[in-house]
Amino acid sequence: MRRFTRTPYLSGPEDPAYRENRGVLQPGETVQVETYGGHDQDYLAKKDLRAGAVMDVDPYRHSRPCGPFFIEGIEAGDWVSVEIIDMEVGAYGFYRNGGPHWGSLRLIAPVRDGLVHFPPDFVVPVRPMIGVVQLESVAPHQIDTGGNMDFNAIQPGSTVHIRAQKPGGLLTLGDVHARMGDGELTGTGVEIDSTITMKVDRSPGFPCSAPVVEKTRIVESQEEYLTSGQGYNWEEAVKVAWSEMNALIADRYDTTVEYANLIVGTIADARPGYAAGLLNRRGNADVHAYVTCQMAVTKELRRTGTPYVP
């Protein structure tokens, strides 16, 4: 099996390798590709690797990009399937302390034995997903060719189907998270280096213009807490449900609201309930219009009783 690595690192942003194709893939071929985490940082070089330590943004490592890959025999209009077989994530990533009540500091997220560590002693299983899966567009901006979709559905056991717009498709992947809540509430999940095992092939296609994700495995527990929010728009409903979940986690896990917020903002799934809002008003303003939201946190979240030790 071929493996495309993020090393050796490039010399800088002007290195011509940034603009080169990473390789030619054959339809039906299984390969491993390495991606780099948010900000392309060397976490292992950090002096402070405690869970929740504030992360300074250092100069980029200039990792080799995960694409574009030319897929042999693919022409414009053909559909491509990208089957995600397996994913391995690195030892450290980062997330943000954000939300309705806090700022946006970047914090260190250690990963050990399949668990993401939060302060002071919280752990939750990894749930790796890929934020960016795209083929190259004929336009300067993306037109139905994927991109920074940030769907948790794009995980091991899923196949992404995308229609090519250029010969070879020119596939690129990136923006992997060790875990991310549906909706990516703080603008990040646990951004992290990864190794993706994938199979690229022709797809029979769909009567759609945008990508289609096909899930073939369930990879997570369905036991969870869910809080509720209602508001005039989606953001207001999210704010209510988020605040309610902060209170629930603080109470059920005997922790502070500050620690609870780190967890909720990073791993909670924001799910729509009543989503029509003004849609059924035919565009007319209505002070009584609303949408509802549920915030979900897995019951796999637990406390170890011992803070993480690097």
Side-chain angles (χ1 to χ4, degrees):
M1 184 189 308
R2 290 194 291 166
R3 185 181 180 111
F4 297 87
T5 64
R6 73 181 70 87
T7 57
Y9 296 125
L10 304 180
S11 61
E14 302 305 318
D15 194 312
Y18 270 121
R19 295 176 289 277
E20 296 175 354
N21 288 349
R22 285 302 310 272
V24 178
L25 306 182
Q26 299 298 319
E29 182 179 8
T30 299
V31 297
Q32 289 185 322
V33 293
E34 296 181 4
T35 71
Y36 55 84
H39 294 287
D40 193 19
Q41 301 289 290
D42 183 4
Y43 303 114
L44 294 179
K46 298 286 183 182
K47 295 181 179 179
D48 190 354
L49 293 175
R50 295 172 297 113
V54 176
M55 190 195 92
D56 294 325
V57 177
D58 294 332
Y60 293 150
R61 295 174 298 183
H62 299 295
S63 295
R64 292 176 181 272
C66 189
F69 293 97
F70 186 96
I71 306 167
E72 190 70 41
I74 293 296
E75 299 293 339
D78 294 342
W79 280 77
V80 173
S81 67
V82 182
E83 180 185 357
I84 311 302
I85 298 171
D86 194 18
M87 295 177 65
E88 299 177 12
V89 296
Y92 292 90
F94 85 88
Y95 61 98
R96 282 197 184 119
N97 174 22
H101 310 296
W102 280 272
S104 189
L105 294 174
R106 294 181 177 90
L107 307 178
I108 292 288
V111 176
R112 182 185 291 169
D113 298 329
L115 299 172
V116 181
H117 289 259
F118 292 91
D121 59 349
F122 283 98
V123 294
V124 68
V126 298
R127 186 179 68 180
M129 54 79 68
I130 309 173
V132 172
V133 181
Q134 66 183 29
L135 301 183
E136 198 164 294
S137 172
V138 296
H141 55 282
Q142 298 162 3
I143 302 179
D144 299 333
T145 55
N148 190 35
M149 298 181 286
D150 281 318
F151 296 145
N152 262 315
I154 302 177
Q155 59 183 226
S158 298
T159 300
V160 187
H161 303 266
I162 308 176
R163 185 162 55 183
Q165 294 187 353
K166 290 186 176 182
L170 302 175
L171 171 68
T172 298
L173 300 93
D175 190 32
V176 166
H177 305 97
R179 184 144 190 152
M180 184 195 84
D182 288 340
E184 198 175 17
L185 294 170
T186 66
T188 72
V190 177
E191 315 279 338
I192 201 163
D193 292 346
S194 79
T195 300
I196 301 168
T197 303
M198 66 178 185
K199 178 181 178 181
V200 178
D201 209 343
R202 291 181 173 274
S203 168
F206 294 86
C208 306
S209 59
V212 173
V213 179
E214 182 180 6
K215 292 183 69 172
T216 56
R217 291 206 310 254
I218 296 175
V219 297
E220 61 190 280
S221 167
Q222 298 301 305
E223 294 187 2
E224 54 196 9
Y225 290 111
L226 298 102
T227 56
S228 306
Q230 176 178 313
Y232 179 73
N233 55 31
W234 173 249
E235 289 82 2
E236 289 300 316
V238 166
K239 184 185 298 185
V240 174
W242 190 332
S243 298
E244 294 281 349
M245 183 58 79
N246 284 349
L248 184 152
I249 296 298
D251 176 74
R252 288 293 183 267
Y253 290 89
D254 190 24
T255 191
T256 66
V257 174
E258 289 81 1
Y259 283 142
N261 185 70
L262 299 182
I263 293 163
V264 177
T266 307
I267 75 167
D269 296 325
R271 299 174 184 163
Y274 176 69
L278 287 171
L279 290 177
N280 62 0
R281 307 295 182 182
R282 294 180 172 84
N284 296 316
D286 186 341
V287 295
H288 301 294
Y290 67 93
V291 296
T292 64
C293 167
Q294 279 191 312
M295 199 68 67
V297 168
T298 176
K299 286 189 174 181
E300 291 179 311
L301 176 71
R302 60 185 176 88
R303 298 189 70 169
T304 65
T306 305
Y308 175 82
V309 178

